[in-house]
Amino acid sequence: MITKKGINASPGVAIGPAFVLDTEEYRIPQRTIDPAQIPAQVRNLDAALAASRQEVAELRAAAARKLGDETAVIFAFHEQFIADPKLRTSVVDAIEQQRHTAAYAFAQIMNQRQRLFRNVPDPYLKERVRDLFDIERRVLRHILGRAREDVARLTDPVIIVAEDITPSQAISLDRRHVLGFAINVGGQTSHMAIIARMLGIPAVVALGDVTADILGGETLIIDGSNGIVIADPDAESLARYQAQQHEYERLTTRLRALRDQPAITRDGVPAQLLANIEVPEEARIAFEFGAEGIGLYRTELLFLSSPRPPTEEQQYEAFRAVMRAAGDHPVIIRTLDLGADKLAPTMGGQHDHNPALGLRSLRYCLLHLDMFKVHLRAILRASVEGDMRIMFPMIATLMELRQAKTTLADVKEDLEEEGIPFRRDVPVGIMIETPAAAMLASIFTREAGFLSIGTNDLTQYTLAVDRANERVAHLYSAHNPAVIRLIHQVIRAARRRDVPVTLCGEMAGTPIYCQLLLGLGLQRLSMAPANIPLIKGVIRSTTMEHCQAIARKVMQFDGDRQVLNYLRDEFRGLDPEDET
Ligand code: PEP
Ligand code: MG
């Protein structure tokens, strides 16, 4: 039994076989072969080893020519490794004795070797693990040839173990067959984590090297609520987690029954709970969870999942589908927020050194006006379907908002000239996710129809902590007094001018923050659909008076630990199941 601790990214317990996804998306299923297939598998292995050796020899010669012998040594190591008869013998043994495919047997043996190298104290040898990955990739490419399998076509329920999952991979995974995620990198608000919560799939991130410890096929337990992963659990742990899984499901079913109940505190103050969605199909799910509207539609996912930018028609169809699913409920469509950890294939290979501070989001759109205008046309055309609002992300200066509004006005003019219907009075709002926008919130309220506080980015920028970097994840906290003060400032500015304000970062769907946010004056929260029942349970079991007392107290704290401990205690005192 191996236990690993990471960061809780999506709650719930999952139990199932591990499925290790390598970074090149190879899917190497554990399949038993017929004895008659053994010679063909061995031939496939030999051909792949020979081809890989040849490639490496060529690389070594080229490296020696261009970069000198020192670099060529790296490839000499690869060549020796591949040519080592012991390597071949171990793989052939696994094929013959365990009747594994050549690909599976090779991947298993390489995994064992990587573990050996990782555990040696010599730093030089430790570093060679990277080379082993490289070798593995190369040989597998030859073994699998064109037969690479697609992760989108999983056939059995599995727990995905991976270095990382890109948002486009995550949405193309067949969610019926994904029970949980165990991921090497990331943090609570990295987009992978957000998508796992959106899909309602338990996930643990920031596990370091979980991909090296898990071979694939063994039983895994994912405790997404506490950030724990257990491989090969003993009978006692298995039984304990099965009971927890059952209890979690019972609680969520119980809370789902609140669907048609209003989100109202015990002393009669109503709140509006909205949903964050990423793909149109999710709108329906959001309303099943009791959402009163869509508070954040992350449109960029459309761009992440295809190699070409979606056409105006494709975008229009997606937006119209969301509007139709929402009926009379409001829908806040956020304009493209590409960049940082959401890189679309169409953005080209240029990478900023500091992507979160680079050419992302609205900045990118304002530099690619043709693409942005197509996007805005599609949004405006869908506006006739219902109560739509448009929101610009990543605003840092008033000038950006003005430029974005001018572009929107240009697009409206074009549509008008072409006689294409759209709603002229669509409200236009902004996300407050940079400290600059938070500090100037009162000024922004003069030009923005509504504000939505994006605490995922606001926390990252306020504390200068990359939200997707597990090495600084311990420094990332939305409950830091600096972040809370900025949130408070924004709410006050909005209320003073009667401008609607929502909070749509992950904080909104996190139960321990709920009383604080209500107490700070927020009445609209937007979150992953699956969190709505629990947050509603919290609201229905507290009073506004108590929430305000909590907020007053929190505003006096000067450290995030203090805030967290206090909020935890306050949350423990509640029973979201017992609100009547
Ligand atoms: C945020 O930054 O809080 C937010 C909601 O936007 P995203 O997570 O998509 O960056
Ligand atoms: Mg953001």
Side-chain angles (χ1 to χ4, degrees), residues 109-420:
I109 298 295
M110 287 305 285
N111 212 312
Q112 285 166 13
R113 300 276 170 111
Q114 282 153 16
R115 257 199 245 182
L116 280 178
F117 272 70
R118 203 182 289 278
N119 291 335
V120 291
D122 179 342
Y124 174 78
L125 284 179
K126 237 191 192 48
E127 262 303 295
R128 300 281 68 78
V129 172
R130 278 179 212 284
D131 293 293
L132 297 198
F133 275 128
D134 211 18
I135 294 170
E136 183 183 351
R137 278 315 101 81
R138 185 180 303 285
V139 177
L140 281 176
R141 246 193 322 265
H142 284 291
I143 296 180
L144 294 166
R146 295 179 156 273
R148 269 171 67 167
E149 293 190 56
D150 187 353
V151 287
R153 272 179 256 132
L154 292 167
T155 49
D156 300 304
V158 288
I159 290 175
I160 303 268
V161 181
E163 165 73 13
D164 194 10
I165 300 271
T166 63
S168 52
Q169 262 181 322
I171 54 167
S172 65
L173 286 171
D174 182 343
R175 63 177 87 170
R176 282 168 311 166
H177 293 129
V178 180
L179 302 171
F181 292 108
I183 306 291
N184 283 355
V185 299
Q188 253 173 353
T189 60
S190 57
H191 285 93
M192 188 275 137
I194 291 174
I195 291 173
R197 281 194 292 277
M198 171 195 105
L199 298 172
I201 297 175
V204 180
V205 300
L207 284 157
D209 55 357
V210 68
T211 42
D213 291 319
I214 309 290
L215 286 175
E218 61 265 63
T219 299
L220 279 195
I221 296 174
I222 301 289
D223 175 355
S225 309
N226 296 300
I228 291 168
V229 172
I230 302 176
D232 288 321
D234 57 23
E236 190 260 314
S237 308
L238 198 58
R240 187 156 42 88
Y241 275 103
Q242 276 163 344
Q244 263 186 36
Q245 188 176 33
H246 186 71
E247 173 57 20
Y248 185 81
E249 279 161 12
R250 194 193 64 77
L251 177 68
T252 41
T253 315
R254 165 81 180 77
L255 287 168
R256 261 191 195 222
L258 291 178
R259 196 182 84 157
D260 300 320
Q261 303 289 326
I264 186 164
T265 59
R266 275 175 26 213
D267 48 353
V269 182
Q272 196 180 21
L273 302 186
L274 307 162
N276 294 351
I277 64 165
E278 320 240 335
V279 287
E281 304 81 65
E282 226 201 328
R284 188 184 47 76
I285 300 171
F287 292 105
E288 276 170 20
F289 276 106
E292 291 175 70
I294 305 299
L296 169 65
Y297 173 19
R298 291 183 165 101
T299 53
E300 54 279 1
L301 264 282
L302 268 175
F303 284 68
L304 295 177
S305 48
S306 86
R308 270 181 295 280
T311 61
E312 179 182 325
E313 222 41 44
Q314 285 166 330
Q315 296 186 50
Y316 165 66
E317 275 164 28
F319 305 154
R320 190 183 56 185
V322 172
M323 294 306 297
R324 292 198 172 160
D328 296 335
H329 297 287
V331 175
I332 299 180
I333 298 201
R334 176 174 75 182
T335 63
L336 270 177
D337 186 34
L338 289 170
D341 64 340
K342 291 182 285 193
L343 284 172
T346 51
M347 292 179 82
Q350 294 160 324
H351 293 298
D352 290 317
H353 284 301
N354 220 333
L357 305 180
L359 188 59
R360 62 168 289 210
S361 196
L362 187 66
R363 299 169 181 176
Y364 179 83
C365 290
L366 292 175
L367 267 191
H368 294 85
L369 277 181
D370 289 345
M371 176 219 64
F372 192 35
K373 284 185 173 178
V374 169
H375 181 57
L376 294 175
R377 275 176 75 95
I379 294 177
L380 282 170
R381 282 174 57 200
S383 67
V384 291
E385 302 281 339
D387 181 0
M388 178 197 279
R389 296 138 202 222
I390 297 176
M391 176 160 77
F392 296 122
M394 259 298 276
I395 296 275
T397 66
L398 206 50
M399 193 52 80
E400 283 167 335
L401 171 59
R402 289 182 184 156
Q403 274 179 290
K405 283 171 79 171
T406 306
T407 313
L408 188 68
D410 288 349
V411 174
K412 283 183 176 175
E413 217 168 281
D414 292 346
L415 290 174
E416 194 105 51
E417 272 170 24
E418 293 167 47
I420 297 173

